[in-house]
């Protein structure tokens, strides 16, 4: 496991037993590497600066991650980073005589946090939360986390820890930022051919997978399921990587497992079948084991920290022995993720249709519905403001610049601290190209199907979990089902979760006895905002308990 925390006046009492190494930088800064000793970062020292990289980065066509680090650090020091040449998910720290710069991947899939009023920066929310003072709870972010699985924007669950913006370079010493020269001017393409768009995007993906193949051939593992995204990754792996391993989660009778076995047999590839619910995983979770989840998953993962141990176990297995784990997260940029009709041009419709996964009756009188929605809309407007395009393209950009940046990154952050990890489908360049694709080509997965079939005709002929192969047109029943979702009124969508919750009983999780063991006197902090007895979603109750677990340690 690997994290860092950087600053001049750091109180290390809360994590001193987990410090692996300390690097003294210029201007009194110290860089503490925190973890279990199983992994160490790349550290480079030159006459002019010291640099450290966390995560996986490729730059200017270099096939070795260390060489990419060297070239990128030099360019950052000289203020000459070529953004279009960057691939990967990472944080780079470069400390010279006068400046300490922090640069992350532009999408923000390797999140970093700063402590307000200090020069402290960390890759870990938990480390940042314990670094300074006695913070206060931010109710808006509690609601966002419990309802949606993540908090959004610069705010976090506690008021003195903020998320570093990924679209700027941060000078930690001076507190100044410099906007990155990343072009996000998106115009509708003159050519509306599906093959034209598929070829453009595949050409960009080739760059990423060529780098992956050169650096990690023989040490790559990827999930495979019945969906489009893992199939597209597999098509790219077949094209650029000679040796790799596939894995699938689920019971032997699950559709994903059956399709994965068909694919592995057709391609003569190794497949590891993992059943997270299989015997052998520890279902008697103790406080010590929940603490292990808490640290490894950085406090508040999208699914919460209370589980049977299967989640963390499968992640560690997939990245053992220095393997690079690939994930199809973000591939929805190639589809109509929000299922909104083409004339939808309001970001408010995104909030109404997608960010209403809650039952207001579970909230106390501290909840203000109008304020909650307005705050989310303001955050969404700010995050998508970098895009120079049509109002509809702003709506489409909400997925990569909002959902991926804040929800997907919570999951990515766990994997980055455990080993080598990438979500190669979503990059600055693929986002820009995907936003230029006419919406009609994204519906029913047409664009992604064309990409898969063009890259690997054999994979194009194997069925998906939606019942047809990418090389074939979606059946009428599938198209009608998708159309009904697209045409479903926003007014109905925003009430869907509430309507479903009317017919559910409050959940009784199998590990509910752990709440008493792990939470001092129960939900003493969060019950002021949400009533755990009225929450009917197991996932939301788990997240509420996870937030309570963190808050009881820090406020």
């Amino acid at each position: 496991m690997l994290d860092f925390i950087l600053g001049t006046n750091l109180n290390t009492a809360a994590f001193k037993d987990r410090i692996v190494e300390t690097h003294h930088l210029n201007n009194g800064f110290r860089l503490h590497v925190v973890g279990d000793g199983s992994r160490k970062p790349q550290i480079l020292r030159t006459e002019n600066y010291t640099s450290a990289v966390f995560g996986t980065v490729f730059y200017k066509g270099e096939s070795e991650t260390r060489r990419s680090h060297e070239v990128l650090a030099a360019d950052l020091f000289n203020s000459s980073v070529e953004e279009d040449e960057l691939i990967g998910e990472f944080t780079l720290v470069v400390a010279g005589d006068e400046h300490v710069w922090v640069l992350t991947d532009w999408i923000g899939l390797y999140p970093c946090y700063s402590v307000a009023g200090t020069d402290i920066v960390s890759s870990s929310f938990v480390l940042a939360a314990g670094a300074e003072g006695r913070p206060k709870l931010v109710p808006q972010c509690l609601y966002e986390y419990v309802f949606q699985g993540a908090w959004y924007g610069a705010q976090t669950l506690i008021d003195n820890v903020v998320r570093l913006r990924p679209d700027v370079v941060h000078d930690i010493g001076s507190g100044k930022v410099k906007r990155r020269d990343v072009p996000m001017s998106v115009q509708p393409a003159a050519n509306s051919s599906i093959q034209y768009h598929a070829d453009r995007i595949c050409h960009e993906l080739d760059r990423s997978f060529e780098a992956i193949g050169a650096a990690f051939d023989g040490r790559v593992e990827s999930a495979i399921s019945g969906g489009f995204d893992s199939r597209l990754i597999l098509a790219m792996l077949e094209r650029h990587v000679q040796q790799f391993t596939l894995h699938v989660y689920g019971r032997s009778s699950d559709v994903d497992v059956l399709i994965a076995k068909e694919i592995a047999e057709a391609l003569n590839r190794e497949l590891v079948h993992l059943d997270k619910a299989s015997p052998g995983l520890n279902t008697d979770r103790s406080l010590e084991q929940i603490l292990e989840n808490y640290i490894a998953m950085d406090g508040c993962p999208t699914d919460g920290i209370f589980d049977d141990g299967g989640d963390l176990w499968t992640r560690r297995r997939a990245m053992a022995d220095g393997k690079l784990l690939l994930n199809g997260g973000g591939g929805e940029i190639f589809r109509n993720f929000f299922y909104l009709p083409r004339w939808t041009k309001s970001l408010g419709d995104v909030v109404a249709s997608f960010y209403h996964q809650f039952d207001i009756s579970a909230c106390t009188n501290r909840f203000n519905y109008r304020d909650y929605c307005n705050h989310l809309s303001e955050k969404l407007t700010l995050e998508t403001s970098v895009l120079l395009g049509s109002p509809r393209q702003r709506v489409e950009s909400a997925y990569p610049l909002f959902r991926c940046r804040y929800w997907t990154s919570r999951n990515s952050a766990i994997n980055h601290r455990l080993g080598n990890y990438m979500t190669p489908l979503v990059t600055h360049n693929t986002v820009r190209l995907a936003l230029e694709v006419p919406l009609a080509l994204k519906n029913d997965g047409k664009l992604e199907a064309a990409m898969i079939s063009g890259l690997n005709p054999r994979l194009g002929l194997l069925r998906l979990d939606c019942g047809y192969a990418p090389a074939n047109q979606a059946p009428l029943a599938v198209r009608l089902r998708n159309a009904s979702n697209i045409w479903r009124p926003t007014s109905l969508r925003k009430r869907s979760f509430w309507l479903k919750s009317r017919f559910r009983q409050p959940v009784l999780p199998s590990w509910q006895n752990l709440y008493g063991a792990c939470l001092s006197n129960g939900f003493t902090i969060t019950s002021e905002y949400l009533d755990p007895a009225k929450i009917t979603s197991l996932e939301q109750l788990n997240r509420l308990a996870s937030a309570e677990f963190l808050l009881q340690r820090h406020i």
Side-chain angles (χ1 to χ4, degrees), residues 189-207:
N191 191 327
S192 61
S193 158
I194 193 168
Q195 198 57 53
Y196 167 80
H197 291 285
D199 290 345
R200 293 178 80 204
I201 297 169
C202 286
H203 178 70
E204 181 58 37
L205 290 174
D206 280 335
R207 295 176 60 235

Side-chain angles (χ1 to χ4, degrees), residues 322-513:
K323 286 186 292 186
L324 173 68
L325 175 62
L326 301 181
N327 186 282
E332 289 88 349
I333 61 173
F334 307 127
R335 304 195 297 280
N336 184 357
F337 175 75
F338 295 113
Y339 282 94
L340 290 170
R342 57 182 173 79
W343 54 82
T344 302
K345 299 178 181 179
S346 167
L347 293 172
D349 286 339
V350 176
V351 173
S353 64
F354 190 78
Y355 291 100
H356 271 68
Q357 302 299 308
F358 59 90
D359 180 358
I360 200 169
S361 67
C363 303
T364 69
N365 58 11
R366 294 293 301 270
F367 181 72
N368 185 301
Y369 172 77
R370 185 182 298 275
D371 286 349
Y372 172 79
C373 294
N374 286 342
H375 285 315
L376 263 178
S377 294
E378 289 168 3
K379 294 179 181 183
L380 180 54
T381 300
L382 176 63
E383 297 298 327
T384 58
S385 63
V386 299
L387 181 74
L388 301 177
S390 69
R392 175 63 207 197
Q393 287 168 328
R394 288 275 302 273
V395 168
E396 291 295 300
S397 75
Y399 175 73
L401 302 184
F402 199 64
R403 169 77 169 178
C404 287
R405 180 167 287 173
Y406 296 104
W407 187 90
T408 305
S409 70
R410 293 299 298 163
N411 181 64
S412 297
I414 300 170
N415 290 331
H416 285 307
R417 63 178 35 91
L418 296 176
N420 299 310
Y421 176 78
M422 285 179 67
T423 52
L425 299 184
V426 56
T427 69
H428 158 249
N429 286 330
T430 58
V431 167
R432 180 173 50 80
L433 293 173
L435 289 173
E436 293 181 352
V437 179
L439 187 62
L441 301 184
K442 295 180 181 179
N443 289 334
D444 305 322
K446 289 194 283 286
L447 173 65
E448 217 166 350
M451 293 163 66
I452 293 166
S453 298
L455 289 167
N456 192 307
R458 281 191 301 171
L459 285 174
L461 293 172
L462 297 173
R463 64 170 175 145
L464 298 161
D465 56 7
C466 48
Y468 65 97
N472 300 327
Q473 183 185 34
L476 179 61
V478 172
R479 285 180 280 144
L480 289 175
R481 183 177 68 242
N482 291 339
S484 68
N485 285 328
I486 291 172
W487 283 81
R488 190 156 50 107
T490 302
S491 58
L492 179 59
R493 297 189 198 200
K494 66 192 299 184
R495 292 174 173 81
S496 295
F497 186 92
W498 176 81
L499 288 170
K500 292 176 182 177
S501 69
R502 301 296 86 197
F503 301 97
R504 286 198 299 254
Q505 294 297 317
V507 297
L508 295 174
S510 58
W511 51 82
Q512 63 176 333
N513 60 309

Side-chain angles (χ1 to χ4, degrees), residues 45 92 108 127 184 202 232 297 376 416 425 437 522 540 545:
R45 296 185 182 275
L92 174 69
L127 287 179
M184 279 302 286
C202 286
L232 179 55
M297 297 183 174
L376 263 178
H416 285 307
L425 299 184
V437 179
Q540 292 188 355

Side-chain angles (χ1 to χ4, degrees), residues 134-171:
R134 300 295 295 179
K136 297 179 181 179
L137 167 66
V138 179
Q140 172 73 19
C141 291
L142 173 67
Y143 291 128
E144 290 172 8
Y145 174 61
V146 173
F147 297 159
Q148 317 298 343
W151 50 75
Y152 291 82
Q155 281 187 316
T156 69
L157 191 61
I158 54 180
D159 65 346
N160 70 340
V161 176
V162 296
R163 171 84 179 264
L164 286 187
R165 290 198 60 82
D167 54 353
V168 299
V169 180
H170 299 264
D171 184 350

